[in-house]
Amino acid sequence: MLVKDALKLINQVREEITSHADADYDSETRFALDWFAAKGFDKGRSGEAINMTNAINISLGAMVVSGFFEASGGSARLLTRSELPEVWDAAKNGTIWEACQHLVKRLTAEDGGIESAAALYNRLGALADPAHALARRLYDICEQRQWATEGRVYNQLHQEWDVIEKRAVELAETGNRSDLFSN
């Protein structure tokens, strides 16, 4: 067996294993993950989005209300991180998808970094660990699709996770939870 064939088989098995964990995500995140795997941040047809939302028992309207997906004029797409609102409150209908995207947005922002991501981490509560797992899953999708630029940011979040957690603990201990993106 050639090495490239063995790697392909290993990645296929890893994909099967990790895709089973997708069931643990909220419906909006599962939809976003499926859409991302199929389209990335590119446009698709609204009909495709309707079929995909029906498969996980949510409506296209609910996805639009989520604030990170848009559908109009027959086309639909995930909003990019730069299109997400600067102020976001995880406590108000926050999804794992949004938590992951906002962590990446803060970590990679020119005026962000570890400090900003750690401050958000402290406000995520139960969304933090699943957002970390989602970053790894998104990286795997990007690697399979050969989306190196997009994959890099998810890998960065995954690689910096321990540093973010450590800084989040330090911020919590000092009571300093404000950051540039908070209300």
Side-chain angles (χ1 to χ4, degrees):
M1 177 181 278
L2 296 173
V3 172
K4 84 173 188 178
D5 293 334
L7 289 173
K8 214 183 263 188
L9 184 59
I10 290 167
N11 285 334
Q12 180 182 0
V13 170
R14 189 174 75 183
E15 172 68 21
E16 289 173 13
I17 292 168
T18 57
S19 66
H20 290 295
D22 295 350
D24 295 337
Y25 297 137
D26 55 82
S27 297
E28 293 85 355
T29 297
R30 285 197 323 269
F31 169 80
L33 185 57
D34 290 346
W35 185 271
F36 182 81
K39 306 281 184 197
F41 290 104
D42 293 338
K43 285 184 179 180
R45 294 186 332 234
S46 292
E48 290 175 90
I50 291 169
N51 288 338
M52 290 171 74
T53 56
N54 286 343
I56 54 175
N57 202 27
I58 60 171
S59 70
L60 183 60
M63 284 309 307
V64 171
V65 169
S66 72
F68 60 87
F69 191 78
E70 71 176 15
S72 66
S75 65
R77 70 183 183 91
L78 286 166
L79 296 181
T80 63
R81 281 179 298 282
S82 64
E83 296 172 303
L84 295 176
E86 292 299 322
V87 177
W88 175 70
D89 185 359
K92 293 182 182 177
N93 301 320
T95 64
I96 298 166
W97 177 267
E98 290 169 293
C100 180
Q101 297 304 319
H102 279 280
L103 280 164
V104 168
K105 182 176 183 173
R106 289 164 190 243
L107 181 62
T108 60
E110 220 174 273
D111 57 351
I114 298 292
E115 189 82 10
S116 182
L120 176 58
Y121 175 99
N122 280 338
R123 294 194 319 270
L124 289 179
L127 292 175
D129 286 335
H132 178 226
L134 180 60
R136 179 60 192 184
R137 180 82 170 94
L138 291 170
Y139 172 76
D140 289 343
I141 290 168
C142 291
E143 187 178 60
Q144 290 168 359
R145 300 290 304 264
Q146 297 180 339
W147 296 336
T149 303
E150 188 63 22
R152 181 188 57 77
V153 298
Y154 298 118
N155 191 45
Q156 182 180 357
L157 179 61
H158 184 70
Q159 295 295 318
E160 300 281 2
W161 193 255
D162 290 339
V163 177
I164 292 168
E165 282 185 318
K166 181 180 178 192
R167 183 63 185 135
V169 168
E170 292 168 357
L171 289 174
E173 287 173 354
T174 63
N176 181 3
R177 294 188 182 155
S178 64
D179 68 295
L180 298 173
F181 300 96
S182 62
N183 293 336

